Amino acid sequence: MCIRDRYTADLHDKGLEIVLVSADRSEDAFQEYYSQQPWLALPHSEAEANKRLSKKFSVEGIPCLVLLDATTGALITTDGRTVLSNDPTGEQMPWLPPTKQQARAMALEALGDVLVDAAGESWGLTRLTTKPFIGLFFSASWCPPCRVITPKLLEAYENGLGDKMEIVFISSDGDQQAFDCYFRDMPWLAVPFDRSDDKANLTALYKVKGIPHLVVLDNQFNVVTLEGITMLAQDTTGETLPGGWQPQAFTIVNDDPTAVNENICVFAMGDDHDGLREVAHEFLERAGGEVGRMPYRFYGAPAGAVTTRIRCLAACESDPHLLVILDIKDGFFYHAGADLSVGAVKEALRLFEAEELEPQVRVRVRVRVRVRVRRCGESRTDEVPSLVRLTRVDFVLSVGVSTVIDLAVDRAQVTALE
């Protein structure tokens, strides 16, 4: 049954109202399409409102269903299609994000009563709580970046990290043989391969969009970080857990560019970061101390490898000090002046939100990856499935050139087009 039929049969009566935001090119096409729909619509003539909504919710393709809380206007999810696929009759409406307590309960339920080790022995969840932290390692044998990260995680585990963190392997392998072959050298536990629903629930709970991915919890099953792989690169023994692994309101981009690809980011180019840092902490306070609820991520960008790529992308190689707003997902960047004081940063963000800052250039990034996959002696060359992600920001920040990235077992060709 399609969403239109579900809306008529169940969802509308349970409180869901839908508004069509059309991408049709003409009024006639819009009217013809809308005549078949039972819900409301934004008038086709409201092109600017359409554009603002697409930008606000980072709509990259259609169809796209954005779910909002009708009372507060707060975003519930930009992936409403998946929500409706999992709950087509709206039994779980209003689909609000789980509270911390609910997330803990959901994690415990999905992990289940029994985990296994590589020898096939079963273990209860009590083994996880014998250490201060728990790492949920989402990975698969067919994923080349995973096969790069796994030995590094194994080395870290055996050299101090394992004293603080118990790890649970959550596999995306396609069959039991591949799972067994990949898991046999891992010294930690795993969710049994045949529990696909539990693995899918953990993937959804922690919004895992690509692998490898490491979610770190405390032993009460509260989230410490969703970016464990990035933090592992900076602290292989877990010495700074938990505080050093938690998301920060303000970060030096060369140290941790993890969030650049998925968020609107504000950069203080150069060495003067005091004003931006103060504004970042004000935003953190407004977000109730939760970095994930902040509308922007804030970065200092002193000299360094990632800063060089940012400067190239934002066309500011020769500006020693500059405030830059960068939205990679939308494809725009903005120069907001050389004044990096608190007042100047706030004014720049005000202008940005009022759409009074002029975008400099629009860039599009296209990634094509071909890999050699080795699995239990089998070798083949293939396109990487969309689930795979390359690490960090390196594969995005190139403009006007083709860059080849060698990840030991895979090669990525990245082309950015003006």
Side-chain angles (χ1 to χ4, degrees):
M1 188 179 292
C2 68
I3 185 174
R4 180 180 57 198
D5 296 336
R6 286 295 185 193
Y7 175 84
T8 303
D10 300 294
L11 298 174
H12 182 260
D13 290 342
K14 290 180 178 177
L16 179 68
E17 189 56 84
I18 294 179
V19 179
L20 170 67
V21 182
S22 172
D24 285 303
R25 294 180 179 273
S26 69
E27 179 71 28
D28 288 345
F30 166 75
Q31 292 295 345
E32 180 181 356
Y33 181 56
Y34 182 45
S35 66
Q36 307 169 34
Q37 313 303 327
W39 39 65
L40 304 175
L42 184 72
H44 185 266
S45 58
E46 296 289 341
E48 286 303 314
N50 186 321
K51 186 185 301 183
R52 288 195 298 271
L53 289 168
S54 296
K55 180 177 180 179
K56 180 176 179 61
F57 298 114
S58 300
V59 176
E60 297 177 338
I62 53 174
C64 175
L65 180 62
V66 176
L67 296 178
L68 305 176
D69 185 323
T71 303
T72 66
L75 175 67
I76 295 174
T77 181
T78 58
D79 190 15
R81 294 177 65 201
T82 298
V83 170
L84 289 187
S85 176
N86 294 333
D87 183 23
T89 61
E91 297 302 318
Q92 300 172 30
M93 284 181 65
W95 305 303
L96 295 173
T99 64
K100 289 183 179 180
Q101 292 76 15
Q102 289 171 333
R104 290 177 65 250
M106 292 166 69
L108 286 166
E109 181 179 358
L111 285 167
D113 297 327
V114 177
L115 301 172
V116 296
D117 62 19
E121 186 174 352
S122 298
W123 297 84
L125 285 185
T126 53
R127 173 167 162 177
L128 299 184
T129 59
T130 60
K131 298 178 183 179
F133 303 100
I134 301 161
L136 305 181
F137 182 44
F138 297 81
S139 185
S141 64
W142 50 259
C143 162
C146 297
R147 298 189 74 88
V148 174
I149 293 297
T150 301
K152 295 181 179 180
L153 181 59
L154 177 59
E155 181 181 3
Y157 185 85
E158 293 177 341
N159 287 283
L161 184 67
D163 296 334
K164 305 177 183 71
M165 183 186 300
E166 190 53 78
I167 293 176
V168 180
F169 172 44
I170 299 163
S171 173
S172 295
D173 282 303
D175 57 64
Q176 183 74 50
Q177 180 185 3
F179 169 84
D180 292 340
C181 182
Y182 190 40
F183 183 45
R184 66 188 177 192
D185 296 323
M186 298 181 188
W188 43 71
L189 303 177
V191 174
F193 175 77
D194 58 2
R195 283 171 40 197
S196 56
D197 288 347
D198 290 331
K199 292 185 290 185
N201 289 339
L202 288 167
T203 298
L205 176 60
Y206 297 113
K207 300 179 181 179
V208 177
K209 297 181 180 179
I211 55 175
H213 196 96
L214 179 65
V215 174
V216 179
L217 314 175
D218 64 23
N219 61 8
Q220 299 301 308
F221 298 89
N222 300 304
V223 174
V224 174
T225 180
L226 300 179
E227 297 294 343
I229 288 176
T230 296
M231 302 315 301
L232 180 69
Q234 301 173 35
D235 177 16
T236 58
T237 64
E239 181 178 354
T240 63
L241 279 165
W245 286 49
Q246 292 172 333
Q248 305 295 313
F250 174 88
T251 311
I252 298 299
V253 71
N254 299 306
D255 295 339
D256 182 13
T258 308
V260 170
N261 293 336
E262 300 296 329
N263 296 272
I264 300 173
C265 298
V266 186
F267 297 90
M269 312 304 297
D271 298 319
D272 180 6
H273 309 146
D274 291 345
L276 190 64
R277 183 184 286 105
E278 183 173 332
V279 172
H281 285 285
E282 288 183 13
F283 271 87
L284 180 63
E285 186 175 348
R286 290 183 216 164
E290 296 185 29
V291 171
R293 295 177 56 193
M294 292 168 56
Y296 310 104
R297 300 299 288 269
F298 296 88
Y299 288 99
V306 178
T307 292
T308 298
R309 293 184 172 92
I310 295 286
R311 285 186 175 277
C312 178
L313 182 62
C316 59
E317 295 95 327
S318 60
D319 297 280
H321 297 96
L322 185 67
L323 187 67
V324 172
I325 301 174
L326 175 64
D327 185 354
I328 283 181
K329 292 181 71 175
D330 197 43
F332 286 100
F333 65 88
Y334 305 78
H335 291 178
D339 187 348
L340 302 177
S341 66
V342 171
V345 173
K346 290 182 177 180
E347 177 62 10
L349 291 175
R350 185 193 70 78
L351 293 172
F352 175 76
E353 291 169 3
E355 298 188 351
E356 295 177 15
L357 276 183
E358 188 68 25
Q360 303 299 306
V361 177
R362 179 162 190 171
V363 295
R364 295 180 183 272
V365 178
R366 182 171 59 214
V367 179
R368 185 180 63 212
V369 184
R370 290 187 65 80
V371 301
R372 185 170 299 280
V373 180
R374 295 180 178 86
R375 190 175 94 181
C376 296
E378 174 190 357
S379 179
R380 72 178 190 275
T381 299
D382 203 353
E383 296 288 337
V384 174
S386 60
L387 183 62
V388 176
R389 71 171 185 190
L390 301 182
T391 56
R392 302 177 69 153
V393 50
D394 302 29
F395 71 99
V396 171
L397 300 179
S398 297
V399 175
V401 296
S402 294
T403 303
V404 175
I405 301 168
D406 191 352
L407 293 179
V409 295
D410 73 322
R411 299 171 68 189
Q413 184 182 38
V414 184
T415 305
L417 305 175
E418 291 191 1

